[in-house]
Amino acid sequence: MTQRVELATLMDRFAVDGLVTEYAVAVDDGDWEAYRRLFAPDGRADYRSAGGIEGDAGQVAGWLARSMELFPMRQHLIVNRRLRFGVLDQDRGDTARVQADYINPMRFAGDDDGSTAPDFVCGGRYAFALVRTDLGWRLREVVVQEKWRRMPQPRQEPAVT
């Protein structure tokens, strides 16, 4: 590889990594317009393994906006990112795939400031398919593969003696 090709590859890696981070931030912050902008025009997302829907980015953003009202506090952590460029047929370096693990702690809405509301935590793996567009890298597909979840336990009243 020439230094120019290596530099271009590094720049693409940074851009793809940044897009995955922006995805997490958009969901955590409830910025559904930013979420939609991360996708290519034909972009789709599939949250069915986590009890959600599959559809185009606009449909899924609407569903997420309603669903996330239950969880006013969210913090996506996306780790162990594995990136490959050009894995689609007839590709010339304008596509990428990322597999990344996630853990997603969220807090249920409460009657007060939320500090006593119970937590919900889930984890799994994302499969991102990306495409280079005139606007830069965009998501073509996001598939959530939820592997586990921990629901809040009912509060136990102390035994009266």
Side-chain angles (χ1 to χ4, degrees):
M1 279 186 160
T2 67
Q3 285 183 333
R4 192 175 303 218
V5 170
E6 289 172 353
L7 179 60
T9 300
L10 283 174
M11 297 300 292
D12 282 338
R13 288 186 76 86
F14 283 129
V16 167
D17 189 68
L19 185 64
V20 170
T21 298
E22 290 301 319
Y23 167 87
V25 170
V27 173
D28 290 346
D29 291 351
D31 187 345
W32 309 118
E33 285 303 314
Y35 178 92
R36 287 180 187 93
R37 286 192 303 270
L38 297 173
F39 284 82
D42 62 346
R44 302 187 66 74
D46 183 349
Y47 289 79
R48 291 177 293 180
S49 76
I53 68 167
E54 186 274 334
D56 68 45
Q59 293 169 319
V60 173
W63 171 79
L64 281 168
R66 293 184 301 277
S67 299
M68 292 297 111
E69 288 176 1
L70 295 171
F71 307 103
M73 297 170 69
R74 304 178 289 275
Q75 186 178 27
H76 252 94
L77 304 171
I78 301 179
V79 299
N80 300 334
R81 299 173 193 206
R82 293 164 307 285
L83 167 62
R84 289 191 186 149
F85 287 106
V87 295
L88 300 178
D89 293 335
Q90 306 300 318
D91 183 82
R92 292 181 298 280
D94 291 332
T95 63
R97 291 205 179 265
V98 177
Q99 280 194 334
D101 297 327
Y102 71 88
I103 184 167
N104 189 6
M106 299 182 283
R107 176 156 292 158
F108 279 101
D111 293 333
D112 54 12
D113 66 357
S115 62
T116 60
D119 292 334
F120 170 86
V121 183
C122 61
R125 181 164 290 156
Y126 279 112
F128 296 99
L130 300 95
V131 62
R132 187 192 317 267
T133 72
D134 291 339
L135 299 173
W137 287 96
R138 294 293 182 264
L139 297 168
R140 178 177 276 164
E141 181 181 55
V142 176
V143 178
V144 175
Q145 302 160 347
E146 186 177 86
K147 294 183 175 186
W148 61 271
R149 63 175 52 184
R150 186 176 69 220
M151 300 291 287
Q153 299 297 318
R155 293 197 174 161
Q156 300 285 331
E157 294 297 324
V160 179
T161 55

